[in-house]
Each structure stands twice: as C-alpha cells, then as structure tokens.
C-alpha cells in the first residue's frame, strides 16, 4: 500500500530561518533509514506560498490567484510518499518525522492512502 504524508505547517509561526542545521541532519538520517528500509518512494519540501498560484474552478467560473494566501493558516510545506504494509506502519513513520522537529515547531503530518488502479 502506498501512502502520502502531507506535512502541514503555519508558515507565519515557523522558526525564523526555517529548519536548523541540526533538524536537517536528523531529517537526513530518518530519510536515509526510510530509504534503506525500502519504505520511502519520494519526498520533498515545497517552496513558500508567496511563490504559489492557485487555479480555482467554481461552477463554470475559473479564477487564478497568486500567493501569498493570507487567509490560510495551515499550508502543505512538504510531502513524502511511502510504501507500507499497513496504515499503522505509515502513521508510525509520520510520528517519527514530526517528533524530530522538537519543541520549536508546530507541524502536522496528514497520512492518506493513495488509490491504486484496479486490475
């Protein structure tokens, strides 16, 4: 089963300067462990919403809005796609990921199973 872990953050509440070198080192270790275990299929951080564009469709009307999006408190700051035996296993990896952020961060990892094509 494949799962997507969407990492949600409040861009305005993140520590100034972003992740510390220590956090990046710990993240690198976890990513390496997940890769060696054959769990991690893909992962990346996302650029800030100030560089984003939203394309919205509402009952036949299209709108295009450039960021930043001040009305949004939480945004997806990154993602990981993992191959796991169960949702419980994917959630355990997500727990490990959020824990390494320590007390300076407020972070949520939403874990959702990816629909697989039938057949």
């Amino acid at each position: 089963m494949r799962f997507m872990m969407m990492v949600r953050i409040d861009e305005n509440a993140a520590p100034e300067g972003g992740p510390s070198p220590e956090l990046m080192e710990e993240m690198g270790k976890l990513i390496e462990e997940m890769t060696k275990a054959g769990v991690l299929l893909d992962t990346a951080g996302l650029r800030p919403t100030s560089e984003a564009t939203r394309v919205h469709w509402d009952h036949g009307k299209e709108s295009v809005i450039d960021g930043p999006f001040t009305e949004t408190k939480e945004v997806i700051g990154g993602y990981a796609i993992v191959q796991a035996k169960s949702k419980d296993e994917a959630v355990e990896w997500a727990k490990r990921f959020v824990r390494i952020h320590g007390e300076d961060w407020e972070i949520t990892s939403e874990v959702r199973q990816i629909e697989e094509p039938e057949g």
Side-chain angles (χ1 to χ4, degrees):
M1 292 182 276
R2 293 182 308 151
F3 295 88
M4 176 176 267
M5 299 174 184
M6 292 169 281
V7 178
R8 296 181 180 275
I9 62 168
D10 178 346
E11 287 181 315
N12 299 317
E16 193 170 320
S20 68
E22 296 81 14
L23 173 55
M24 293 305 292
E25 183 179 337
E26 289 302 310
M27 229 184 287
K29 288 177 187 176
L30 181 59
I31 288 169
E32 184 177 338
E33 181 182 346
M34 292 173 77
T35 301
K36 285 181 179 177
V39 173
L40 186 63
L41 302 178
D42 189 26
T43 188
L46 299 175
R47 301 288 299 167
T49 60
S50 60
E51 300 175 24
T53 300
R54 288 184 179 164
V55 178
H56 183 75
W57 184 260
D58 184 5
H59 299 91
K61 184 178 178 193
E62 176 185 277
S63 62
V64 178
I65 305 163
D66 290 327
F69 311 113
T70 55
E71 75 283 357
T72 304
K73 182 175 186 230
E74 277 190 341
V75 298
I76 298 173
Y79 71 92
I81 297 177
V82 300
Q83 181 86 37
K85 294 178 186 91
S86 66
K87 184 176 181 182
D88 288 341
E89 179 186 355
V91 168
E92 285 305 314
W93 285 111
K95 286 179 180 179
R96 289 186 60 191
F97 178 79
V98 297
R99 276 190 230 128
I100 64 172
H101 285 76
E103 295 184 9
D104 293 338
W105 287 82
E106 180 177 345
I107 182 170
T108 301
S109 182
E110 181 179 330
V111 179
R112 295 175 61 183
Q113 188 171 354
I114 297 172
E115 282 286 342
E116 302 292 348
E118 292 186 33

